[in-house]
Amino acid sequence: MMRKRRLVTAIVGVAALLVVLFAIVISNSNSGPRFTKDEIGLQIQLDINEDIGLVIINSNINGETESGGISNVNGSLIKKNELLFWSINKEVHESLPETVDLKLQFNIVTKYFQPNFENIYPEEYVVEMDEVSLKATFGEAYNIKITGDKVNGYKATIEQ
């Protein structure tokens, strides 16, 4: 009798543990990447009218500039409603304080091209956006929404 009770208790315990682990896996898989304390995370939500080739990100962090971009490795277009992730790493900018003035200027490349380090693409396929600014803290993530289309232009806004 005692042995049966222990077995039932063990089975219930294992089942409860599996439910908790399953819940943790599900919640982590849907939240996108986790940014570290040494990163400024950007979660860029596209809400545009057509699929695009690349997103170029030009940043000015307390006067230090860098440029990069996001594209699909397989050469496919980025979906018009996709959520993109980008981070700025403090290791690259060692002398920066924890909170910085961050200016971001995005360009949309409307057709897919093989990415290049110079971010030079045919002018007729590049649509520039106005710069957005914020005070950003390393270890935090910020939501940016890009709206519009290639005919009327795109706009980036920082979502609160």
Side-chain angles (χ1 to χ4, degrees):
M1 187 66 135
M2 185 69 111
R3 184 180 247 177
K4 195 173 189 180
R5 191 175 296 161
R6 284 186 190 165
L7 181 60
V8 170
T9 302
I11 290 172
V12 169
V14 168
L17 181 61
L18 288 174
V19 168
V20 169
L21 288 174
F22 181 73
I24 290 170
V25 167
I26 293 297
S27 69
N28 285 337
S29 67
N30 293 332
S31 61
R34 299 270 188 240
F35 298 104
T36 70
K37 64 179 177 55
D38 292 331
E39 294 176 303
I40 295 171
L42 303 178
Q43 300 175 139
I44 305 162
Q45 179 65 62
L46 298 181
D47 185 13
I48 56 181
N49 294 342
E50 65 273 323
D51 297 345
I52 58 173
L54 298 98
V55 176
I56 299 171
I57 304 164
N58 300 305
S59 58
N60 181 318
I61 306 129
N62 277 15
E64 294 183 30
T65 60
E66 65 182 28
S67 185
I70 301 171
S71 66
N72 286 331
V73 174
N74 65 5
S76 65
L77 294 177
I78 298 170
K79 300 296 179 203
K80 64 184 179 179
N81 59 353
E82 197 159 334
L83 178 61
L84 308 172
F85 299 95
W86 183 260
S87 67
I88 297 168
N89 196 308
K90 192 169 188 173
E91 289 177 8
V92 177
H93 307 279
E94 293 173 7
S95 62
L96 291 177
E98 289 304 305
T99 299
V100 295
D101 292 317
L102 178 60
K103 297 175 184 171
L104 299 165
Q105 193 270 324
F106 297 92
N107 296 331
I108 299 293
V109 181
T110 58
K111 179 180 171 186
Y112 180 83
F113 292 93
Q114 183 69 36
N116 61 70
F117 287 109
E118 297 81 27
N119 282 330
I120 298 172
Y121 303 98
E123 242 178 74
E124 64 267 24
Y125 297 105
V126 179
V127 181
E128 293 184 7
M129 283 180 253
D130 290 337
E131 183 178 87
V132 293
S133 300
L134 69 146
K135 287 267 188 207
T137 303
F138 284 94
E140 298 291 324
Y142 300 90
N143 297 313
I144 296 167
K145 187 173 192 177
I146 295 178
T147 56
D149 59 56
K150 63 183 170 187
V151 173
N152 300 304
Y154 300 99
K155 181 177 181 176
T157 55
I158 298 172
E159 302 283 299
Q160 299 302 334

